[in-house]
């Protein structure tokens, strides 16, 4: 354990549980429902409302081999290709093999997918990197919203205890360093208010992504890397953090636009939309056998190259040939978003540009979602299971959250009962200087310029130096004058953003090649001889970031990671 903590008040209240799940997307709610179904006293903690996570923003759908002629083996092949040589094949095989039945169980929970009116079979579409139609969707382009609705309804029907509007702070541990719960801050009034704790021998992190470290992202405002930052402070390992996927087709609202940007789903290209430049030329034709439906990293690079060649700040997605009826029935959410911003895709091409979308890396786990901290699990975007490698295949994210959440719940249930635990505060906690909320925009600017779609040794070195200045200035203020930012949601979020930004730039500087969604302009070639391996980062007790390279692409086996009733291996 590092002994490192956020500066925060001592918890003023506490509740007890067997399991606390942090996050309310597909991964978190699935894990909570499955744990509760086995009789475990389960509490769900979420940063906003239950239905306010990243899942509800997912447009395209969920990928699984459900169609005639499709097989898990074909899904595996497409996933391995998209992952650019870094996927853990055992993890991918687990995903694609267990995926179809996991989707059927999701349907049994209440999720309603679009079906063919004549046959009643689930309608399937294609997205980038898939050689078959295997994307199940709901409400046309509102798949995430429907999945979220079904799971939230199930959680409420089952009467699970929930704590909404709560920012998780740090992991609590017992005298042996095993998980003993979490500290959290509840925003607003209610049954619980202010800083408190949930005491539990098992914690499941399902906190989502970290897209808010960039100025423009598809992620909601709550995606500030809280889970990864907590895990690092707790002593966990993170992996593949340098691989941030930039979605190729995000509605372009201007070069200075910031915050969450409207996504134009890959499913639009899956139904036949074309990427064109200002002259109407389809520039992806000839760059890849799948043209506009190449894996996302290839399409994002194709767009960026064309923008560089033409001195443009965006390209266009042309789907005028769909006609009004198809737009209204198949993509009503995207149509409404475009029109709200002054664009009509029925009559004009849509301006698009890449924006930060998905973290392929995260807290390193085994096939049961166990991290290197005893009793702490991770699933969904916060986790790194080895499935995505260097670039996530489209619509594998919802499936990964679903499959590995079920595996986590099964593993937790198989290991009870646990010995009673009592949280023990560190004897001399190392409190991080809090970063002032006004530094958030500066961190985002630094990352967008230095560690965005295009990276180089020079840009990454500049970003790393600038981030260190932000941290050093906060440390100097605390040591010199005793001043620090006031503890509160905005300063805690900003501190988490700085933490994950420093880890990302450290890993990106270390990986001297171009692979998947990590694009080094100064190292444009993929280097399998030296770099077909993972980078693993942890935070040492002295606050240094320690980086190591793995020997290959395989992820840890079950017996090399922690379990709730066993001490952490050295």
């Amino acid at each position: 354990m590092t002994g490192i903590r956020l500066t925060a008040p001592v918890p003023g209240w506490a509740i007890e549980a067997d399991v606390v799940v942090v996050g309310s997307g597909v991964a978190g709610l699935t894990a909570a429902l499955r744990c509760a179904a086995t009789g475990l006293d389960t509490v769900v903690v979420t940063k906003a409302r239950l239905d306010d996570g990243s899942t509800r923003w997912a447009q395209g759908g969920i990928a699984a081999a459900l169609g005639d002629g499709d097989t898990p083996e074909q899904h595996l092949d497409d996933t391995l290709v998209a992952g650019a040589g870094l996927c853990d094949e055992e993890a991918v095989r687990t995903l694609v093999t267990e995926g179809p039945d996991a989707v059927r169980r999701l349907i049994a929970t209440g999720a309603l997918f679009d079906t063919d009116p004549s046959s009643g079979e689930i309608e399937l579409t294609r997205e980038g990197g898939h050689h078959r139609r295997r994307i199940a969707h709901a409400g046309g382009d509102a798949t995430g919203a429907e999945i979220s609705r079904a799971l939230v309804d199930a959680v409420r029907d089952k009467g699970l205890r929930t704590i909404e509007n709560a920012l998780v702070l740090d992991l609590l541990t017992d005298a042996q360093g095993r998980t003993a719960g979490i500290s959290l801050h509840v925003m607003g009034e209610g049954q619980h208010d202010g800083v408190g704790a949930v005491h539990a021998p098992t914690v499941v992190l399902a906190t989502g992504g970290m897209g808010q470290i960039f100025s423009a992202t598809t992620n909601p405002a709550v995606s500030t890397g809280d889970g990864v930052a907590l895990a690092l402070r707790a002593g966990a390992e993170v992996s593949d953090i340098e691989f941030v996927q930039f979605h190729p087709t995000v509605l372009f609202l201007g070069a200075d636009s910031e915050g969450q940007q409207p996504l134009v789903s890959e499913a639009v290209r899956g139904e036949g939309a074309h990427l064109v430049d200002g002259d109407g030329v389809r520039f992806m034709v000839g760059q890849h056998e799948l043209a506009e439906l190449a894996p996302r990293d290839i399409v994002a690079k194709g767009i960026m190259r064309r923008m560089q060649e033409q001195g443009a700040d965006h390209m266009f997605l042309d789907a005028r040939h769909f006609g009004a009826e198809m737009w209204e029935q198949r993509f009503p959410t995207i149509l409404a978003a475009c029109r709200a911003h002054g664009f009509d895709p029925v009559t004009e091409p849509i301006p698009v540009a890449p924006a930060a979308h998905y973290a392929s890396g995260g807290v390193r786990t085994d096939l049961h979602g166990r991290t290197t901290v005893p009793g702490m699990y991770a699933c969904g975007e916060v986790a790194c299971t080895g499935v995505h490698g260097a670039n996530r295949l489209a619509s594998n994210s919802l499936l990964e959250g679903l499959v590995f959440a079920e595996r986590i719940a099964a593993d937790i249930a198989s290991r009870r009962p646990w010995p009673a635990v009592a949280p023990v505060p560190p004897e001399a906690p190392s409190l991080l200087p809090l970063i002032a909320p006004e530094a958030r925009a500066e961190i985002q600017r630094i990352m967008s310029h230095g560690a965005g779609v295009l990276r180089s040794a020079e840009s990454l070195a500049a970003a790393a130096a600038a981030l260190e200045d932000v941290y050093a200035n906060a440390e100097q203020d605390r040591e010199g004058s005793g001043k620090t930012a006031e503890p509160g949601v905005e300063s805690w979020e900003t501190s988490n953003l700085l933490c994950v930004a420093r880890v990302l730039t450290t890993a990106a500087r270390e990986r001297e090649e171009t692979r998947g969604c990590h694009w080094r302009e100064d190292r444009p070639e993929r280097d399998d001889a030296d770099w077909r391996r993972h980078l693993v980062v942890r935070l040492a007790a002295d606050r240094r970031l320690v980086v190591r390279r793995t020997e290959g692409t395989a992820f840890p086996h079950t017996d090399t990671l922690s379990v709730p009733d066993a001490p952490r291996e050295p």
Side-chain angles (χ1 to χ4, degrees):
M1 307 301 295
T2 67
I4 300 172
R5 298 288 186 272
L6 286 173
T7 299
V10 174
W13 55 269
I15 63 173
E16 308 291 324
D18 294 327
V19 181
V20 55
V21 177
V22 188
S24 60
V26 63
L29 295 187
T30 299
L33 286 166
R34 298 295 182 266
C35 284
T38 67
L40 292 165
D41 183 10
T42 305
V43 172
V44 177
V45 173
T46 187
K47 194 172 178 180
R49 298 187 307 273
L50 277 181
D51 61 353
D52 246 357
S54 294
T55 291
R56 66 175 289 222
W57 297 101
Q59 295 174 344
I62 185 167
L66 297 166
D68 290 341
D70 197 8
T71 64
E73 197 69 26
Q74 294 176 67
H75 190 181
L76 180 142
D77 290 342
D78 285 345
T79 301
L80 295 179
V81 169
L86 272 196
C87 296
D88 173 61
E89 187 167 339
E90 186 178 0
V92 178
R93 193 172 297 281
T94 297
L95 177 82
V96 300
T97 302
E98 298 181 9
D101 283 343
V103 172
R104 295 182 184 103
R105 284 188 289 273
L106 178 62
I107 293 171
T109 302
L112 302 174
F113 289 94
D114 296 336
T115 56
D116 183 276
S118 58
S119 68
E121 297 293 322
I122 294 176
E123 288 185 334
L124 301 173
T125 189
R126 279 183 68 193
E127 290 184 1
H130 294 272
H131 283 79
R132 283 190 174 274
R133 300 178 76 90
R134 65 167 66 97
I135 316 299
H137 50 83
D141 57 0
T143 309
E146 171 57 19
I147 290 174
S148 180
R149 179 208 62 76
L151 292 174
V152 168
D153 285 352
V155 164
R156 289 175 174 155
D157 288 345
K158 300 296 183 184
L160 269 66
R161 285 191 290 169
T162 61
I163 304 176
E164 296 181 285
N165 301 305
L167 171 65
V168 65
L169 298 176
D170 278 305
L171 188 76
L172 303 177
T173 55
D174 66 11
Q176 286 73 45
R178 300 184 182 102
T179 292
I182 57 166
S183 58
L184 68 162
H185 174 80
V186 180
M187 300 166 268
E189 298 180 359
Q191 183 179 359
H192 307 292
D193 188 23
V195 175
V198 180
H199 296 163
T202 305
V203 170
V204 180
L205 293 180
T207 53
M210 55 187 187
Q212 289 291 326
I213 60 173
F214 296 97
S215 298
T217 177
T218 63
N219 288 194
V222 295
S223 298
T224 51
D226 307 318
V228 170
L230 175 150
L232 284 162
R233 292 192 296 271
E237 295 179 345
V238 302
S239 188
D240 296 354
I241 204 79
E242 67 270 33
F243 297 113
V244 174
Q245 186 178 85
F246 285 75
H247 198 287
T249 53
V250 175
L251 185 62
F252 181 73
L253 301 179
D256 297 326
S257 58
E258 297 179 344
Q260 186 177 8
Q261 310 289 300
L263 179 67
V264 181
S265 170
E266 198 148 328
V268 177
R269 281 176 279 140
E271 296 292 351
H274 303 144
L275 279 167
V276 298
D277 60 20
D279 298 322
V281 176
R282 287 182 63 189
F283 55 89
M284 284 305 299
V285 174
Q287 291 197 37
H288 189 276
E289 61 166 334
L290 295 176
E292 285 92 352
L293 284 177
R296 287 178 179 173
D297 63 313
I298 294 172
V299 178
K301 291 172 187 175
I303 291 174
M304 293 299 296
R305 288 193 185 101
R306 198 64 158 195
M307 286 164 54
Q308 288 178 323
E309 292 169 1
Q310 298 190 343
D313 52 15
H314 65 280
M315 290 286 112
F316 295 92
L317 187 65
D318 192 352
R320 290 174 291 179
H321 55 284
F322 284 6
E325 183 178 358
M326 181 173 176
W327 268 109
E328 291 165 0
Q329 294 183 1
R330 180 67 177 85
F331 301 111
T333 307
I334 299 170
L335 178 63
C338 288
R339 286 177 170 170
H341 289 283
F343 307 105
D344 190 345
V346 176
T347 60
E348 61 185 328
I350 308 168
V352 294
H357 182 57
Y358 189 87
S360 294
V363 185
R364 188 170 169 86
T365 75
D366 67 4
L367 290 178
H368 297 279
R370 303 174 192 152
T371 73
T372 48
V373 175
M376 187 173 78
Y377 294 75
C379 58
E381 190 172 356
V382 71
C384 186
T385 62
V387 161
H388 303 309
N391 179 56
R392 174 176 67 88
L393 180 66
S395 288
N396 266 359
S397 52
L398 293 175
L399 189 71
E400 183 199 31
L402 194 63
V403 167
F404 284 88
E406 291 188 341
R407 293 179 70 83
I408 284 173
D411 192 70
I412 293 172
S414 72
R415 295 183 177 279
R416 63 176 182 177
W418 309 278
V421 295
V424 176
E427 291 185 6
S430 176
L431 299 178
L432 291 172
L434 288 181
I435 309 302
E438 51 265 29
R440 179 169 179 156
E442 182 181 1
I443 294 168
Q444 293 169 333
R445 177 189 58 78
I446 291 168
M447 293 299 290
S448 296
H449 285 282
V453 181
L454 304 179
R455 303 169 178 177
S456 67
E458 183 179 2
S459 76
L460 290 167
L467 293 172
E468 289 306 312
D469 283 345
V470 174
Y471 179 84
N473 289 338
E475 184 71 42
Q476 185 176 9
D477 287 344
R478 185 176 68 166
E479 293 181 353
S481 62
K483 294 181 179 179
T484 186
E486 284 294 317
V489 172
E490 292 184 340
S491 56
W492 289 322
E493 283 187 334
T494 307
S495 299
N496 287 336
L497 285 171
L498 180 61
C499 174
V500 295
R502 293 173 72 200
V503 174
L504 192 156
T505 53
T506 297
R509 292 180 73 186
E510 182 85 6
R511 183 172 289 280
E512 296 182 333
E513 64 158 356
T514 289
R515 183 184 297 270
C517 50
H518 172 65
W519 186 3
R520 287 280 299 259
E521 292 183 286
D522 56 326
R523 303 284 185 176
E525 302 301 324
R526 173 170 151 176
D527 180 0
D528 280 347
D530 289 334
W531 285 108
R532 197 165 177 226
R533 62 190 74 236
H534 303 281
L535 289 175
V536 180
V537 185
R538 64 178 178 85
L539 184 64
D542 61 4
R543 304 187 191 179
R544 289 181 306 109
L545 292 176
V546 180
V547 185
R548 68 176 175 86
R549 303 182 190 184
T550 64
E551 292 301 316
T553 60
F555 259 53
H557 294 296
T558 297
D559 58 0
T560 65
L561 288 185
S562 63
V563 296
D565 55 354
R568 178 178 177 178
E569 295 184 4

